[in-house]
């Protein structure tokens, strides 16, 4: 019988106070950019003093790492549900489409554009962004393993590039301008590409 990677356990939620701070900081970064938003701006947005803010997060980089970690909590819960579905690739398609078409994807686009730019200049942010991508690729190849009956090792060898392509397409779709006239057409092209990729994986099993 084929050995499959266990379904990941959803992580515990971020505590409420930290979540409120991260929500406000997410807004400030999206509006002013990573370099444009000072710690004073972030503290003002969070409704607290700079000194108190430093008790939670010692730097702007720490904020970004926490935002990435919190987004991974949500994504891990999504993959937990996908891996528990009787048709994992169907569930994966539905989840990706909801993420691309959803309003929260457009709202997060500017933030992820800022994080992507900061990752090129800040080694610690770059490392956190790479870890997130590696985790997403690992989850995706685990879905491919579950859907095709391949071992996790074989799925990773065969389809890691396809998994990274999906990650890149979803991220790029989020970072496309919400008011771009070609936005809807691009979203459909992205999903067509992802559909073909998943079909190829399913048919090659």
């Amino acid at each position: 019988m084929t050995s499959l990677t266990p379904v990941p356990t959803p992580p515990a939620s971020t505590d409420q106070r930290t979540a409120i701070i991260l929500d406000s900081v997410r807004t400030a970064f999206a509006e002013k950019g990573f370099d444009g938003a000072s710690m004073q701006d972030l503290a003002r947005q969070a409704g607290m003093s700079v000194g108190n803010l430093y008790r939670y997060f010692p730097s702007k980089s720490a904020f970004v790492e926490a935002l990435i970690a919190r987004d991974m909590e949500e994504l891990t819960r999504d993959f937990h549900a996908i891996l528990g579905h009787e048709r994992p690739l169907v569930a994966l398609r539905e989840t990706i489409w909801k993420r691309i078409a959803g309003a929260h994807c457009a709202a997060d686009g500017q933030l992820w554009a800022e994080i992507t730019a900061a990752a090129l200049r800040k080694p610690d942010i770059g490392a956190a962004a790479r870890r997130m991508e590696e985790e997403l690729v690992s989850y995706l190849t685990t879905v491919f393993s579950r859907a095709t009956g391949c071992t996790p090792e074989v799925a990773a060898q065969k389809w890691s590039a396809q998994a990274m392509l999906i990650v890149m397409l979803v991220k790029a779709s989020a970072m496309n301008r919400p008011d771009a006239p070609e936005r809807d057409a691009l979203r459909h092209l992205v999903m067509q590409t992802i559909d073909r990729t998943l079909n190829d994986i399913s048919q090659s099993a």
Side-chain angles (χ1 to χ4, degrees), residues 20-36:
I20 292 171
I21 294 171
L22 289 177
D23 284 340
S24 64
V25 167
R26 180 186 287 267
T27 301
F29 278 145
E31 291 177 351
K32 295 193 173 185
F34 179 82
D35 292 323

Side-chain angles (χ1 to χ4, degrees), residues 14 18-30 34 42 57 60-75 108 111-112 115 128 132:
T14 307
T18 301
I20 292 171
I21 294 171
L22 289 177
D23 284 340
S24 64
V25 167
R26 180 186 287 267
T27 301
F29 278 145
F34 179 82
L42 300 180
F57 299 98
K60 288 197 289 183
S61 294
F63 278 118
V64 174
E65 292 179 22
L67 287 169
I68 289 173
R70 191 171 70 161
D71 282 353
M72 274 308 303
E73 290 182 4
E74 179 183 348
L75 290 167
D108 285 349
L111 174 66
W112 277 106
I115 289 176
M132 181 179 190

Side-chain angles (χ1 to χ4, degrees), residues 45 49 51 86 111 145 159 169 185 195:
Q45 187 76 31
S49 69
E86 62 179 356
L111 174 66
S145 168
W159 298 310
L169 287 171
D195 277 341

Side-chain angles (χ1 to χ4, degrees), residues 54-192:
Y54 272 115
R55 291 174 54 199
Y56 288 89
F57 299 98
S59 67
K60 288 197 289 183
S61 294
F63 278 118
V64 174
E65 292 179 22
L67 287 169
I68 289 173
R70 191 171 70 161
D71 282 353
M72 274 308 303
E73 290 182 4
E74 179 183 348
L75 290 167
T76 297
R77 285 190 286 271
D78 286 344
F79 278 107
H80 183 266
I82 291 166
L83 287 165
H85 196 279
E86 62 179 356
R87 300 177 65 190
L89 290 183
V90 171
L92 178 62
R93 279 189 175 91
E94 292 174 353
T95 300
I96 292 174
W97 177 247
K98 287 177 183 177
R99 181 160 290 274
I100 288 176
H104 71 284
C105 184
D108 285 349
Q110 182 59 41
L111 174 66
W112 277 106
E114 291 294 333
I115 289 176
T116 300
L120 298 175
R121 304 187 303 272
K122 307 283 186 180
D124 48 352
I125 295 176
R130 283 192 299 275
R131 284 195 300 272
M132 181 179 190
E133 290 180 351
E134 289 167 0
E135 284 188 64
L136 290 172
V137 167
S138 177
Y139 283 155
L140 284 167
T141 57
T142 300
V143 172
F144 303 157
S145 168
R146 181 68 55 88
T148 63
C150 293
T151 65
E153 294 77 16
V154 169
Q157 289 171 3
K158 294 177 68 173
W159 298 310
S160 286
Q162 287 87 338
M164 179 55 74
L165 174 64
I166 291 171
V167 172
M168 291 171 61
L169 287 171
V170 173
K171 185 187 292 187
S173 181
M175 290 191 290
N176 189 34
R177 292 194 340 266
D179 60 344
E182 70 282 2
R183 181 174 178 82
D184 288 342
L186 281 173
R187 284 192 308 190
H188 280 90
L189 285 172
V190 165
M191 276 310 302
Q192 285 176 5

